[in-house]
Amino acid sequence: RKERNRRQFLRALNGKVFEGKGSGRLEWAESLVDESNPLTARVRVNRIWSRVFGRGIVGSVDDFGKMGQLPTHPELLDFLARDFVKEGWSTKRMVRKFVLSSAFRMSSVPSEEAARLDPENLYLQRMPLVRMSAESVRDHILASSGELKRDLYGPSLLPYLKDQPFSRAKPNSGHLDGGGRRSIYLASRRNFLSSFLRAFDAPNTTEPMGRRNVTTVPGQSLALLNHPLIHEMSRRWAKRIVSIQASDEERIQQMHRVAFSREATQKEVQWGLKALKQLGGGDEGWVGLCHLMMNRKEFIYVF
């Protein structure tokens, strides 16, 4: 006679048996965050770290087992895990600590000695270049154009699907700009994901992915050149820039403040004036310049 499997945790860990009369889900959840279980906080902190710094303290964010990689800073990982639990498992507080750290504020340009001793930057002797996630790229485009709505909560919105092939199963398309709402509020349909987000490595919705792929492919440049969202947001951004009662130099400075959170160099100002002239000047010239700004590497990378 076959015996029923007992409700219990993974035998490879502690094999704790759940004696409750329910499904066992509550006991299982409680065991995940129990003080005697050090793994959950470590895994979560490591994933947050990898999102901020481009690589986890444990490089294999999905595998903390024997087949995974060893942590580069084990004591730091232990400290962060304990601090994470102490702070009430708050992701927001942990992200704040990371981005206010001296490590996050370091230059992305390595010294000659650092490049020689640690070419892969495993020990974080410089801030690595990090490509924005697909959602952040889209949100940055909306924010630069002045169209991003920062209100929270509410129902999800249909993504823009008019650029995808016809299918009888294809749902209705949402607005091109998604109503200006952040990408997190775009509905995700397994077979009809946003083509713009997919170009920048947005994962499919069929499997979990602790660490996203980060590719550099022609489709990304083509999306920034040709996608209707880019052209529309360039026009809206240009309209706002032209409305500023200032010189062309000051307008170009304002564009750099919005796009890169810094002042433009004198060389960049001269480049902008030259590009504006070559694009014919006038309103269309500013539209073209806004389009060029969105295609600069600094627009989608965190330096």
Side-chain angles (χ1 to χ4, degrees):
R1 190 181 70 176
K2 294 182 179 180
E3 296 183 1
R4 296 180 62 182
N5 289 329
R6 297 183 300 176
R7 297 185 181 93
Q8 65 183 88
F9 201 68
L10 298 175
R11 291 181 180 178
L13 298 178
N14 57 27
K16 179 180 179 181
V17 178
F18 303 138
E19 302 291 355
K21 295 182 179 180
S23 66
R25 293 188 181 94
L26 177 59
E27 292 90 339
W28 176 75
E30 290 174 341
S31 66
L32 284 180
V33 297
D34 190 271
E35 292 183 357
S36 62
N37 179 10
L39 294 178
T40 306
R42 289 163 60 89
V43 170
R44 180 57 182 160
V45 163
N46 190 63
R47 289 196 176 191
I48 299 172
W49 182 278
S50 70
R51 295 294 178 88
V52 175
F53 292 100
R55 184 188 185 279
I57 298 174
V58 176
S60 52
V61 295
D62 288 324
D63 190 350
F64 272 55
K66 291 186 177 180
M67 300 301 291
Q69 301 176 18
L70 294 175
T72 55
H73 304 74
E75 295 86 357
L76 175 61
L77 182 60
D78 289 340
F79 166 78
L80 292 175
R82 291 193 297 268
D83 187 64
F84 185 54
V85 175
K86 180 181 177 181
E87 294 288 346
W89 300 76
S90 172
T91 298
K92 182 179 292 186
R93 291 181 181 177
M94 187 58 61
V95 170
R96 180 184 293 273
K97 289 184 178 181
F98 290 169
V99 299
L100 293 178
S101 67
S102 59
F104 186 81
R105 298 196 300 270
M106 288 192 300
S107 169
S108 58
V109 180
S111 65
E112 293 184 4
E113 184 179 13
R116 178 176 58 84
L117 296 176
D118 185 21
E120 296 183 14
N121 196 33
L122 296 179
Y123 299 103
L124 206 62
Q125 43 73 30
R126 61 179 173 85
M127 181 61 190
L129 296 179
V130 180
R131 218 278 312 282
M132 291 183 184
S133 64
E135 294 87 348
S136 296
V137 171
R138 177 184 173 276
D139 290 355
H140 188 33
I141 292 169
L142 293 176
S144 296
S145 65
E147 298 296 323
L148 182 67
K149 293 182 179 178
R150 304 177 185 274
D151 49 316
L152 303 177
Y153 316 118
S156 59
L157 302 170
L158 292 174
Y160 179 75
L161 300 175
K162 290 184 179 179
D163 58 344
Q164 299 190 24
F166 173 77
S167 169
R168 296 177 65 180
K170 181 179 176 180
N172 294 328
S173 174
H175 295 293
L176 178 62
D177 63 355
R181 301 219 63 191
R182 293 171 55 202
S183 301
I184 193 174
Y185 295 108
L186 291 181
S188 180
R189 304 225 175 180
R190 182 175 301 176
N191 296 325
F192 296 98
L193 300 174
S194 165
S195 60
F196 185 83
L197 296 183
R198 282 190 291 130
F200 292 94
D201 305 309
N204 62 50
T205 57
T206 60
E207 58 187 20
M209 181 175 290
R211 183 180 182 183
R212 294 188 182 186
N213 297 322
V214 180
T215 62
T216 303
V217 295
Q220 295 165 359
S221 297
L222 292 173
L224 291 175
L225 284 171
N226 302 319
H227 198 278
L229 176 67
I230 297 294
H231 288 277
E232 179 61 26
M233 293 303 106
S234 296
R235 283 190 288 271
R236 298 187 190 182
W237 190 9
K239 184 177 180 180
R240 291 179 181 273
I241 292 296
V242 172
S243 67
I244 299 175
Q245 300 299 317
S247 64
D248 289 347
E249 291 84 351
E250 179 56 34
R251 289 173 175 175
I252 293 172
Q253 283 284 5
Q254 178 62 17
M255 293 175 70
H256 281 74
R257 296 186 194 107
V258 170
F260 309 136
S261 297
R262 64 171 178 81
E263 298 291 327
T265 64
Q266 189 58 38
K267 186 176 180 179
E268 286 173 323
V269 172
Q270 294 303 317
W271 165 83
L273 293 173
K274 182 179 179 181
L276 187 62
K277 183 177 179 180
Q278 292 176 338
L279 291 168
D283 292 350
E284 288 304 313
W286 284 105
V287 172
L289 184 57
C290 290
H291 194 179
L292 283 175
M293 291 286 287
M294 291 182 182
N295 276 268
R296 290 176 60 176
K297 288 297 182 183
E298 192 175 351
F299 195 83
I300 64 173
Y301 280 85
V302 178
F303 284 81

